Amino acid sequence: MSNQGAIPNKDQGPGLIKRIWRFLRHPAATISAGALLLIGVVVGVAFWGSFNWSMEMTNTEEFCIGCHEMEANVYAEYTETAHYNNASGVRATCPDCHVPKEWVHKVVRKVQATRELYHKALGSIDSPAKFEEKRLELATNVWTAMKKTDSRECRNCHEFDSMDFVLQEGRASAAHSDAFKEGKTCIDCHQGIAHSLPANALEAYKEKVSAVYD
Amino acid sequence: MKTGVPWKAITIMAVLNLTGFAALNAHAEGVKSLRGVQVDEPVFVEPIARPQNTRVNREFRQQPPLVPHKTEAYQVDLKVNQCLTCHDWANAGEKKAPTLSMTHYADREGRQLDQVAGTRWFCTQCHVPQVEAEPLVENEFTPSSKR
């Protein structure tokens, strides 16, 4: 009783700094496990979200043709093809054909694509002449990738199973029913559907793609 | 006579301006739009004729056969000739397409080559697809083939 006035703050517990320190060392003592989990989820979602957001941002045509290397040649040619303008009004954009839809494959492709940044810095294809010189090599890379995945990106939109062969032009239905039986893939017969082909493209496809992976 | 004001130049300019203006005006009235109608009116275009997909008889013996399929998506330029992916002698069997005849492999001296002769590279100079459409001009050609 006589001590009351001497130690007035005894019942108020530890000071602010001490409390923060204690919270940091033993958080669960002050916050329930549930709340902790919630914070974890929120932070996780934020990271995941921004990761996926950047994946989406880099999955647009505007992003791709932000580099003149992509815009001046391949994009210009593509705007003349059926995948840009057609009767049904369904457009296939660059990522539709070049970036996988499934998450794991997509991340792999994005990591591979960092090579493009490196070559952008090097200026590997920054003039029409340089691009023309390297084009066959780049095309072969794309063909090889498509051949290995059984033209996975084409099949996101086109599928033999959903084709009405009767409605197709005679040459198409004949080739497709054969292809279906022989296990051929779209890119085997449909090179150059979105861009112009470089010289010796047809020979290179036979030598470097069909001969190796068939 | 020397005055500070260049009357001569001003007169010439005024005359030029006036005639120019008049000419422009006359032109504006006389302008005929190639479109045929005012810009805010829709233009009705002829329906696009579909290409014919059946083989056609030749009308004279030397005629380059008409193409019985679409051709617009095939690249034919100095770098690549996509017609050859089906019609070249080394591919035609597999692609079930008619093989190019010997004439396509003969150079100007008549030597037979293994590749298509340069004179035959641009296929659509001689071979064209057909569409079901009204002829734009009257055609008086009489075929030498008898039907």
Side-chain angles (χ1 to χ4, degrees):
Chain A
M1 271 174 57
S2 59
N3 280 346
Q4 251 184 351
I7 314 166
N9 288 332
K10 196 179 177 188
D11 287 346
Q12 291 180 356
L16 179 67
I17 299 198
K18 223 173 184 174
R19 267 186 292 157
I20 292 177
W21 176 241
R22 206 183 270 172
F23 170 74
L24 288 177
R25 290 195 55 193
H26 307 283
T30 26
I31 301 181
S32 72
L36 242 195
L37 204 66
L38 197 74
I39 293 177
V41 167
V42 169
V43 172
V45 163
F47 267 113
W48 178 256
S50 62
F51 180 68
N52 270 343
W53 177 77
S54 61
M55 294 265 287
E56 285 317 310
M57 283 301 291
T58 56
N59 230 16
T60 61
E61 194 154 286
E62 293 84 71
F63 172 75
C64 304
I65 61 176
C67 282
H68 75 95
E69 282 93 340
M70 300 287 103
E71 189 185 11
N73 315 294
V74 281
Y75 172 75
E77 293 157 3
Y78 145 81
T79 58
E80 303 286 317
T81 70
H83 284 99
Y84 186 76
N85 271 340
N86 58 57
S88 40
V90 182
R91 181 173 290 180
T93 64
C94 328
D96 286 331
C97 288
H98 290 294
V99 186
K101 289 264 181 292
E102 296 83 356
W103 197 81
V104 178
H105 299 309
K106 196 197 301 194
V107 173
V108 171
R109 176 66 179 94
K110 292 284 174 186
V111 173
Q112 283 170 351
T114 51
R115 205 197 69 212
E116 292 178 33
L117 294 174
Y118 169 71
H119 281 284
K120 167 82 184 173
L122 281 185
S124 300
I125 55 168
D126 63 0
S127 73
K130 283 190 196 169
F131 176 69
E132 211 44 67
E133 198 163 302
K134 206 167 178 193
R135 185 165 202 171
L136 189 58
E137 184 191 327
L138 301 180
T140 309
N141 290 342
V142 177
W143 293 329
T144 309
M146 288 186 177
K147 180 79 177 168
K148 281 189 185 160
T149 60
D150 192 10
S151 314
R152 182 180 54 212
E153 276 65 70
C154 312
R155 289 169 192 273
N156 284 331
C157 296
H158 301 273
E159 194 60 79
F160 279 148
D161 286 346
S162 356
M163 282 182 184
D164 188 340
F165 289 164
V166 177
L167 290 180
Q168 287 184 346
E169 188 197 319
R171 291 179 309 152
S173 53
H176 289 154
S177 43
D178 284 354
F180 191 52
K181 277 179 243 142
E182 293 164 14
K184 286 222 173 145
T185 194
C186 321
I187 198 64
D188 283 331
C189 300
H190 292 295
Q191 306 104 2
I193 39 150
H195 321 289
S196 302
L197 292 167
N200 298 322
L202 312 168
E203 294 79 2
Y205 190 88
K206 277 190 185 171
E207 261 172 49
K208 301 219 172 83
V209 188
S210 320
V212 182
Y213 300 95
D214 253 344
Chain B
M1 182 185 102
K2 273 230 155 159
T3 55
V5 189
W7 285 115
K8 232 184 198 161
I10 287 176
T11 324
I12 291 173
M13 262 158 67
V15 169
L16 277 181
N17 272 345
L18 277 175
T19 47
F21 188 70
L24 242 169
N25 244 4
H27 197 232
E29 281 156 13
V31 157
K32 264 244 184 85
S33 152
L34 285 175
R35 205 164 174 268
V37 293
Q38 293 299 312
V39 279
D40 52 354
E41 284 170 43
V43 186
F44 294 98
V45 289
E46 293 290 316
I48 293 173
R50 306 274 156 220
Q52 226 166 271
N53 275 334
T54 45
R55 286 177 83 171
V56 188
N57 268 337
R58 300 181 201 185
E59 300 291 3
F60 55 102
R61 197 176 55 78
Q62 303 84 346
Q63 183 198 334
L66 295 165
V67 185
H69 55 71
K70 288 185 287 190
T71 52
E72 72 267 17
Y74 299 130
Q75 182 182 345
V76 179
D77 58 20
L78 290 177
K79 294 175 196 140
V80 168
N81 184 326
Q82 282 195 305
C83 310
L84 297 177
T85 57
C86 293
H87 289 291
D88 203 12
W89 63 276
N91 306 332
E94 192 192 329
K95 296 292 175 82
K96 303 186 174 68
T99 313
L100 293 183
S101 63
M102 297 288 273
T103 56
H104 294 73
Y105 297 96
D107 72 3
R108 272 181 290 191
E109 278 75 44
R111 285 185 296 250
Q112 279 293 327
L113 315 169
D114 267 0
Q115 288 108 32
V116 168
T119 49
R120 294 290 176 111
W121 185 259
F122 293 104
C123 321
T124 48
Q125 273 182 336
C126 302
H127 298 282
V128 289
Q130 291 294 289
V131 296
E132 279 303 341
E134 284 296 311
L136 292 174
V137 289
E138 201 191 339
N139 188 348
E140 294 167 355
F141 176 78
T142 37
S144 57
S145 65
K146 293 176 191 70
R147 290 230 197 103

